[in-house]
Amino acid sequence: MVKLKLPNPGLEDRIPSHAELEVLEKEEASSRPKWDNKAQYMLTCVGFCVGLGNVWRFPYLCQSHGGGAFMIPFLILLVLEGIPLLHLEFAVGQRLRKGSVGVWSSIHPTLKGVGIASMFVSFLVGLYYNTIIAWVMWYFFNSFQDPLPWNSCPVYKNRTGYIEECAKSSPVDYFWYRETLNISTSIEESGSIQWWLLLCLTCAWGVLYVCTIRGIETTGKAVYVTSTLPYVVLTIFLIRGLTLKGSTNGIVYLFTPNVTELANPVTWLDAGAQVFYSFSLAFGGLISFSSYNSIHNNCEKDAVIVSVINGFTSIYAATVIYSIIGFRATERYDDCFDKNILTLMNAFDLPEGNVTQDNFEQMQQLCNMTDPATFATLKFETCDLETFLNDGAEGTGLAFIVFTEAITKMPISPLWSILFFIMLFCLGLSSMFGNMEGVLVPLQDLKIIPSRVPKELVTGLVCLACYFIAFIFVLNSGNYWLSLFDSFAGSIPLLIIAFCEMFSVSYIYGIDRFNKDIEFMIGHKPNIFWQVTWRLISPLIMLVIFFFYFVVKVNEELLYSVWNPSYEAFPKTEKVEYPSWVYAIIVILAGVPSLAIPTFAIYKAIRNHCQKKNDRAGLIATSETSINGNLKYSS
């Protein structure tokens, strides 16, 4: 077992002893927020961990990496990477009773940058995450119509035909790209603010402010709805989905394993990244949430329960999503066949009902024998169910295009649309609670805002600042900016932060000390599984993921998808290279949080060095006697 421990002078003075913790908890009972009950805490953690990625990224990764085969690396890495880091964050927050900045600066003053980096990531991710909630609200408001506005193409004002852009693509594509985003053809064409999205953005930040106005005192109440309702809606959709034609095709397709994918390193890389991001690790929110617990709360059990719920939700959501995608694919397959049947019937004047899917090939052969010249002029579409099932999408493409198209084909489609977007709203909002906690608590720890300023005002100022910065996402080019933030703000920085967290606890705080802390809190020492994963396996996995991710990104040509009606392959999106100035934005998004860690460590080292030089030069602290006779020192 690795026994390395780096020198850490003054640690005993920075952290309370076990005896002092008991006293501290009683003293803070009236001044520091706490959970009303255990269920409230667990629901908040589950709500933060289980987000939009569980619903719209995990199913896509399954479909892309061999269906059921992807579950194997996902579950292995969930156990070896996700659960150990989750337990570590729960335990360290509960032990030191502080937010992310306070925890890491207590362990070592040079580690304050780890907490600052988490705060930056939470801030940047929160900016675009709440914009997605604004989009969800726009679709939710538009769902109270029958038929749904994305059910069919709009016509020109003179009613001479369908609008060309919609006719060339599809009603759902047109509603998303034109009616919702009013998207430009380049990230450089900013355009103007879309007022309807600005109103939704205002609502999204307003709702978030009301829910987080007093920290966990208000979010703790909201999670009873936001964390449980998505499971109710998913279950309703599963029941409904299983009654639809072709739903089982989607589920079978999702879970049919292609074991050759296990030999593909990218499959393991994507599984590791998905485990990592789906747990909302390294944002700082989970550390803050656990710090409000009783000192003797069983954080080990909490980590296992939240991990099981998270993994189950990913698989459950994928099953629901692909039951609907199976229905959509079957509908498209049937429509394709109907067009081919109609082509054959019209060309050979066949009676209606004579040609079916079952006898189509035989009828083709018969018609070809009857009149080869006429048959040769016919153009049939290629109808392949697997191709339609394979037409997967992730992220906004799954939520706002694929799923909305499937909903239009359901009876009482507005009802299903309302339920679906309520579910997405709850998933997004409960994740934003953790992001806000990851920003607000570090601000308090850093003492940037005076403690006399009311919490309500601080929360309001942070929400207002985020709201104004998020205007960039409601421009014509907003979707391109959001994709940029999504790709770089929460990727490499989170891996670096998580590695620093695990390394700091194991080798700077000291794993033996950490083991004694956990024994004091829950009554027994961590078993061999936790020891091995904390000391060796989890940090190693994070290093491997970081290395491969970095190599892939460096060698990858940076392209983004553009919706361009003039593109020759339209309605496919055009892949365009980013303009050169975007690289500076990428450096800011990925570099600033990552560099906060070494920058603060170097600053602290230089400052300490200068102080030592001053001490040697004779600038020694002068002592003076206070009124009560105690000595106090000033420099």
Side-chain angles (χ1 to χ4, degrees):
M1 197 70 76
V2 184
K3 283 284 185 182
L4 172 69
K5 183 180 182 297
L6 300 176
N8 190 357
L11 178 62
E12 298 289 350
D13 300 325
R14 293 192 300 270
I15 63 170
S17 67
H18 293 165
E20 289 169 337
L21 270 178
E22 303 271 12
V23 177
L24 190 64
E25 184 175 1
K26 291 174 184 175
E27 289 176 350
E28 290 179 341
S30 57
S31 61
R32 199 165 192 273
K34 60 181 180 181
W35 302 105
D36 291 347
N37 51 63
K38 185 63 176 283
Q40 192 181 75
Y41 165 66
M42 293 299 287
L43 285 172
T44 303
C45 291
V46 167
F48 183 34
C49 292
V50 175
L52 296 171
N54 297 72
V55 172
W56 68 25
R57 180 155 173 77
F58 181 78
Y60 171 78
L61 290 173
C62 285
Q63 180 254 320
S64 303
H65 293 299
F70 181 76
M71 304 286 181
I72 298 169
F74 174 75
L75 293 174
I76 289 172
L77 293 175
L78 182 142
V79 171
L80 296 179
E81 177 195 7
I83 301 178
L85 189 53
L86 185 66
H87 184 196
L88 183 140
E89 289 202 353
F90 280 170
V92 79
Q94 186 172 305
R95 165 66 175 90
L96 298 177
R97 306 189 67 72
K98 294 178 181 178
S100 56
V101 167
V103 160
W104 302 117
S105 56
S106 294
I107 289 175
H108 199 284
T110 57
L111 293 175
K112 186 180 279 189
V114 176
I116 294 171
S118 291
M119 181 184 71
F120 278 138
V121 172
S122 290
F123 176 75
L124 292 170
V125 170
L127 284 177
Y128 75 82
Y129 210 87
N130 220 33
T131 305
I132 296 173
I133 296 175
W135 291 344
V136 168
M137 293 177 88
W138 167 249
Y139 268 78
F140 173 74
F141 296 145
N142 277 282
S143 296
F144 292 90
Q145 302 177 50
D146 192 14
L148 292 167
W150 54 85
N151 189 60
S152 58
C153 285
V155 294
Y156 287 110
K157 289 182 180 178
N158 60 8
R159 299 190 175 275
T160 54
Y162 293 121
I163 290 174
E164 185 182 8
E165 185 181 351
C166 184
K168 280 184 175 180
S169 52
S170 71
V172 287
D173 284 325
Y174 182 80
F175 188 84
W176 169 238
Y177 288 110
R178 189 58 53 214
E179 298 282 352
T180 301
L181 302 175
N182 195 18
I183 200 165
S184 62
T185 55
S186 166
I187 194 171
E188 294 182 286
E189 296 175 28
S190 297
S192 58
I193 288 174
Q194 310 305 299
W195 64 266
W196 57 92
L197 289 182
L198 182 61
L199 286 176
C200 292
L201 188 70
T202 307
C203 290
W205 280 106
V207 169
L208 184 64
Y209 172 65
V210 170
C211 291
T212 58
I213 190 167
R214 291 193 57 78
I216 67 162
E217 294 169 42
T218 45
T219 58
K221 307 293 188 294
V223 293
Y224 289 117
V225 176
T226 60
S227 295
T228 56
L229 192 60
Y231 292 96
V232 176
V233 176
L234 278 173
T235 303
I236 292 170
F237 263 103
L238 181 63
I239 295 167
R240 179 69 185 108
L242 292 174
T243 64
L244 297 170
K245 181 184 177 183
S247 60
T248 52
N249 293 332
I251 296 171
V252 169
Y253 179 78
L254 173 67
F255 287 106
T256 301
N258 177 8
V259 290
T260 57
E261 278 290 328
L262 294 176
N264 182 1
V266 179
T267 301
W268 290 84
L269 181 64
D270 282 347
Q274 177 61 18
V275 166
F276 191 81
Y277 303 137
S278 70
F279 274 87
S280 299
L281 298 164
F283 282 92
L286 293 170
I287 293 175
S288 293
F289 287 150
S290 64
S291 72
Y292 304 123
N293 276 325
S294 162
I295 196 64
H296 292 295
N297 173 63
N298 192 336
C299 52
E300 180 180 282
K301 187 169 76 172
D302 293 347
V304 173
I305 291 171
V306 170
S307 301
V308 169
I309 292 172
N310 198 351
F312 164 77
T313 304
S314 294
I315 297 168
Y316 188 53
T319 306
V320 175
I321 295 297
Y322 265 85
S323 72
I324 304 298
I325 287 177
F327 161 69
R328 169 182 173 263
T330 304
E331 285 281 307
R332 292 173 73 184
Y333 177 76
D334 289 345
D335 289 344
C336 177
F337 243 113
D338 289 344
K339 287 177 186 175
N340 287 347
I341 288 170
L342 192 63
T343 300
L344 194 65
M345 286 170 58
N346 289 342
F348 288 91
D349 199 22
L350 298 171
E352 193 172 340
N354 254 31
V355 186
T356 62
Q357 287 187 19
D358 296 331
N359 69 359
F360 182 71
E361 287 186 10
Q362 289 90 334
M363 292 301 292
Q364 274 186 314
Q365 292 170 5
L366 183 63
C367 292
N368 190 23
M369 290 168 60
T370 307
D371 189 349
T374 303
F375 187 83
T377 62
L378 301 181
K379 291 183 179 179
F380 296 104
E381 294 183 21
T382 304
C383 303
D384 179 42
L385 182 61
E386 190 159 328
T387 303
F388 292 126
L389 285 167
N390 203 35
D391 184 18
E394 64 171 323
T396 53
L398 176 64
F400 300 115
I401 297 175
V402 173
F403 217 85
T404 49
E405 182 189 340
I407 284 171
T408 59
K409 299 178 186 299
M410 294 183 189
I412 330 173
S413 54
L415 172 64
W416 301 109
S417 183
I418 290 165
L419 284 174
F420 178 65
F421 290 110
I422 284 176
M423 178 186 73
L424 293 187
F425 176 78
C426 289
L427 285 169
L429 188 63
S430 56
S431 293
M432 276 303 297
F433 293 161
N435 275 322
M436 287 301 291
E437 186 77 10
V439 174
L440 293 169
V441 174
L443 283 177
Q444 293 169 5
D445 291 345
L446 290 168
K447 296 180 172 59
I448 293 173
I449 300 170
S451 57
R452 64 177 178 275
V453 179
K455 187 185 287 186
E456 295 86 349
L457 182 59
V458 175
T459 305
L461 289 172
V462 171
C463 286
L464 197 63
C466 292
Y467 169 68
F468 283 123
I469 296 170
F471 277 19
I472 194 172
F473 302 123
V474 294
L475 297 168
N476 293 107
S477 59
N479 189 48
Y480 305 135
W481 280 101
L482 191 137
S483 298
L484 189 67
F485 271 66
D486 187 36
S487 298
F488 296 99
S491 54
I492 285 179
L494 287 176
L495 284 167
I496 293 172
I497 293 165
F499 176 79
C500 289
E501 286 184 355
M502 199 158 275
F503 183 85
S504 300
V505 170
S506 296
Y507 303 113
I508 298 177
Y509 185 75
I511 198 71
D512 292 333
R513 180 191 297 274
F514 192 53
N515 288 338
K516 290 173 185 174
D517 288 342
I518 292 176
E519 184 179 17
F520 166 73
M521 290 190 293
I522 68 174
H524 62 85
K525 278 189 176 181
N527 59 35
I528 189 69
F529 167 77
W530 303 112
Q531 304 296 327
V532 173
T533 51
W534 284 335
R535 294 172 195 246
L536 186 64
I537 295 175
S538 294
L540 196 61
I541 289 171
M542 280 185 272
L543 279 177
V544 170
I545 291 173
F546 171 77
F547 175 75
F548 277 104
Y549 184 88
F550 190 77
V551 168
V552 167
K553 284 294 178 186
V554 166
N555 293 322
E556 191 178 68
E557 191 178 8
L558 283 178
L559 304 173
Y560 69 109
S561 298
V562 170
W563 180 258
N564 183 6
S566 304
Y567 178 46
E568 57 186 17
F570 185 79
K572 288 185 177 179
T573 53
E574 183 181 5
K575 297 289 183 183
V576 178
E577 193 172 351
Y578 276 116
S580 55
W581 56 264
V582 168
Y583 289 86
I585 305 295
I586 292 170
V587 169
I588 293 170
L589 292 176
V592 169
S594 304
L595 292 174
I597 300 170
T599 301
F600 190 87
I602 292 166
Y603 158 75
K604 200 73 178 173
I606 293 171
R607 188 180 170 193
N608 290 343
H609 179 71
C610 292
Q611 283 179 341
K612 285 178 182 177
K613 282 182 73 175
N614 290 340
D615 288 346
R616 289 195 201 101
L619 296 174
I620 304 169
T622 58
S623 67
E624 58 182 68
T625 308
S626 67
I627 295 169
N628 61 9
N630 294 327
L631 283 176
K632 62 179 183 180
Y633 295 89
S634 59
S635 54

